[in-house]
């Protein structure tokens, strides 16, 4: 123990989510456990390849969803725990502007939540010490979903227990849904820790965990919660339908890890459920072709013991599906009838997110333990 050698060339980052811009070579962005949000190039002309020095940090705290504007690569959105989001410049890489929804920038607050009670402090919805709303009204997950509309890159979707939408890059917000969770008080109450209060927003549930707008039908939006609910709206949020009740009853309460609308048919979507917190390690992926009225399981060929964190449809072939699980990534070329392990050399590691680059066709995997793989 007199001397030690530090091996700093091991890629052991814990990424929750990943995205990419449209530069050439494109840059990759993602959020990491307790290490903020980072960005870096997918390739480099440096003879040593991609270096640590090429990567830079955007946002402190625990990093989660990071989103780059496909039409303006300089505009990047980042998120840390409990619903704190910022808009930043990828060139200047400064702290950027906080665009978290607040009572001051929610346009329809009185209409959407007429009985809200403004309070002060407490963390939770608006961050420690700042203005907040009574936690009976607004809750955000440890990893709150932040997505750009595929039809307008100035439009953001952001999930709490309500769904928020901004049409001006986060400068103002509107609420476009009722509370989409069960509202079960067993999940809602964030108090824990006994003598010493331990509330970091990881304890807050009954929240939206995944949201996506259909690439082929503007205003068709899917949302899934961490208490098992799946909702869809076909009219930009004016009316929502609970279609999770049409899934098998034994998985109703499991986390909805991903909703994935089809790029080829507006009534088609995929939903994955993750039950490992409930001692259910089955791989659950379902497909609907009728807006959620009926569902078909498309993951029966996947090996048991692989809870699913993400499902993606290939952007060019609807028969090709990808899935990220606790122990790696899988691909199906027949619509989910059969699955194979994806990738030679990809380590046995949890794959929390998958993105297919729209121009290059590359598959980008956010792993929880071995950083990002392409």
């Amino acid at each position: 123990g007199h001397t030690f050698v530090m091996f700093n060339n091991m890629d052991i980052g814990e990424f929750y989510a990943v995205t990419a811009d449209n530069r050439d070579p494109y840059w990759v962005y993602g959020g990491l456990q307790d290490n903020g949000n980072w960005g870096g190039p997918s390739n480099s002309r440096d003879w040593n390849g991609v270096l640590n020095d090429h990567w830079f940090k955007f946002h402190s705290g625990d990093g989660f969803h990071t989103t780059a504007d496909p039409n303006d690569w300089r505009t990047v959105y980042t998120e840390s725990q409990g619903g704190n989001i910022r808009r930043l410049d990828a060139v200047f890489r400064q702290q950027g502007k906080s665009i978290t929804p607040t009572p001051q920038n929610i346009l329809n607050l009185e209409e959407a939540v007429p009985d809200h009670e403004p309070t002060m402090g407490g963390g939770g919805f608006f961050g420690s010490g700042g203005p907040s709303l009574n936690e009976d009204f607004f809750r955000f997950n440890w990893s709150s979903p932040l997505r750009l509309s595929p039809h307008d890159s100035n439009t953001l979707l952001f999930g709490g227990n309500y769904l928020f939408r901004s049409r001006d890059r986060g400068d103002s917000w509107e609420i476009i849904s009722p509370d989409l969770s069960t509202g079960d008080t067993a999940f809602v109450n964030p108090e824990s820790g006994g003598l010493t209060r331990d509330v970091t927003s990881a304890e807050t549930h009954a929240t939206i965990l995944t949201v996506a707008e259909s690439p082929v039908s503007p205003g068709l939006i899917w949302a899934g919660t961490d208490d098992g609910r799946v909702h869809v709206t076909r009219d930009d949020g004016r009316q929502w339908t609970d279609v999770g009740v049409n899934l098998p009853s034994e998985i109703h309460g499991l986390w909805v890890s991903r909703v994935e609308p089809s790029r080829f048919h507006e009534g088609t979507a995929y939903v994955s459920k993750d039950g490992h917190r409930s001692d259910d390690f089955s791989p659950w992926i379902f497909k609907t072709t009728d807006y959620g009225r009926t569902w078909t399981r498309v993951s029966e060929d996947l090996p048991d013991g692989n809870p699913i964190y993400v499902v993606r449809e290939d952007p060019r072939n609807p028969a090709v599906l990808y899935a990220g699980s606790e122990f790696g990534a899988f691909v199906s070329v027949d619509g989910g009838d059969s699955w194979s392990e994806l990738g030679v050399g990809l380590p046995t590691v949890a794959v929390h997110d998958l993105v297919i680059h729209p121009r290059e066709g590359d598959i980008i995997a956010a792993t929880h333990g071995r950083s990002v793989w392409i």
Side-chain angles (χ1 to χ4, degrees):
H2 290 293
T3 61
F4 283 90
V5 175
M6 173 64 181
F7 292 98
N8 62 358
N9 62 340
M10 294 189 294
D11 300 318
I12 53 176
E14 295 178 319
F15 276 82
Y16 284 104
V18 68
T19 192
D21 66 17
N22 280 326
R23 279 185 275 183
D24 187 11
Y26 63 85
W27 283 50
V28 175
Y29 301 97
L32 294 97
Q33 164 63 34
D34 210 20
N35 199 19
N37 300 80
W38 288 73
S42 61
N43 210 336
S44 169
R45 292 183 176 88
D46 191 294
W47 70 277
N48 283 316
V50 179
L51 306 176
N52 283 346
D53 286 348
H54 292 149
W55 281 74
F56 61 93
K57 189 174 184 177
F58 264 134
H59 198 155
S60 60
D62 289 89
F64 294 101
H65 295 271
T66 304
T67 303
D69 190 324
N71 301 311
D72 173 18
W73 60 263
R74 290 184 58 164
T75 301
V76 179
Y77 303 89
T78 62
E79 178 213 356
S80 64
Q81 71 270 25
N84 295 291
I85 50 178
R86 305 190 74 86
R87 186 179 69 231
L88 307 106
D89 188 300
V91 173
F92 291 104
R93 306 174 188 177
Q94 295 170 328
Q95 191 70 2
K97 177 182 179 180
S98 173
I99 56 170
T100 302
T102 70
Q104 289 72 40
N105 65 17
I106 298 175
L107 302 177
N108 64 338
L109 181 62
E110 296 291 343
E111 175 188 351
V113 191
D115 299 324
H116 77 280
E117 298 177 7
T119 60
M120 292 299 293
F125 180 33
F126 297 120
S128 178
S132 67
L133 289 181
N134 189 305
E135 287 174 341
D136 289 340
F137 293 104
F138 292 109
R139 299 178 299 278
F140 281 92
N141 192 272
W142 179 246
S143 174
S144 303
L146 175 65
R147 296 289 300 270
L148 289 181
S149 168
H151 307 284
D152 177 9
S153 64
N154 290 324
T155 297
L156 288 166
L157 296 173
F158 188 46
N161 54 327
Y162 294 77
L163 185 62
F164 296 81
R165 179 180 62 198
S166 172
R167 296 191 184 277
D168 53 14
R169 306 193 310 157
D171 288 334
S172 64
W173 296 88
E174 56 183 332
I175 300 169
I176 63 168
S177 81
D179 188 331
L180 296 182
S181 74
T182 63
D184 189 332
T185 55
F187 303 124
V188 169
N189 184 7
E191 292 291 340
S192 67
L195 181 64
T196 303
R197 189 171 185 261
D198 179 18
V199 179
T200 64
S201 78
E203 302 80 14
T204 303
H205 300 294
T207 56
I208 297 172
L209 195 66
T210 174
V211 62
E213 184 177 7
S214 166
V216 295
S217 181
L220 173 59
I221 304 170
W222 298 80
T225 70
D226 61 8
D227 52 5
R229 286 193 159 183
V230 181
H231 281 84
V232 64
T233 177
R234 298 169 65 178
D235 55 9
D236 227 10
R238 287 181 288 274
Q239 181 175 355
W240 290 83
T241 303
D242 183 356
V243 296
V245 296
N246 301 324
L247 290 162
S249 58
E250 66 268 24
I251 64 167
H252 276 182
L254 302 184
W255 285 41
V256 183
S257 56
R258 200 67 50 135
V259 291
E260 171 78 347
S262 173
R263 295 168 173 81
F264 301 92
H265 182 261
E266 70 173 49
T268 297
Y270 301 86
V271 162
S272 61
K273 286 215 168 191
D274 166 24
H276 82 268
R277 297 169 184 84
S278 304
D279 204 27
D280 182 341
F281 296 89
S282 301
W284 298 110
I285 305 175
F286 293 86
K287 177 183 180 180
T288 181
T289 58
D290 54 13
Y291 304 95
R293 286 190 289 269
T294 60
W295 297 90
T296 302
R297 188 178 180 188
V298 293
S299 57
E300 293 185 0
D301 186 58
L302 282 168
D304 200 25
N306 275 275
I308 301 298
Y309 298 133
V310 57
V311 58
R312 296 292 187 202
E313 180 188 65
D314 188 86
R316 298 169 186 171
N317 186 343
V320 178
L321 304 175
Y322 309 97
S325 80
E326 177 66 21
F327 296 105
F330 296 87
V331 61
S332 173
V333 296
D334 51 18
D337 289 339
S338 61
W339 293 84
S340 302
E341 289 189 53
L342 176 65
V344 175
L346 184 69
T348 301
V349 66
V351 176
H352 278 226
D353 198 11
L354 292 168
V355 169
I356 299 95
H357 195 276
R359 182 187 67 237
E360 307 296 344
D362 294 351
I363 303 173
I364 309 166
T367 80
H368 208 68
R370 292 296 303 277
S371 296
V372 171
W373 290 67
I374 298 175

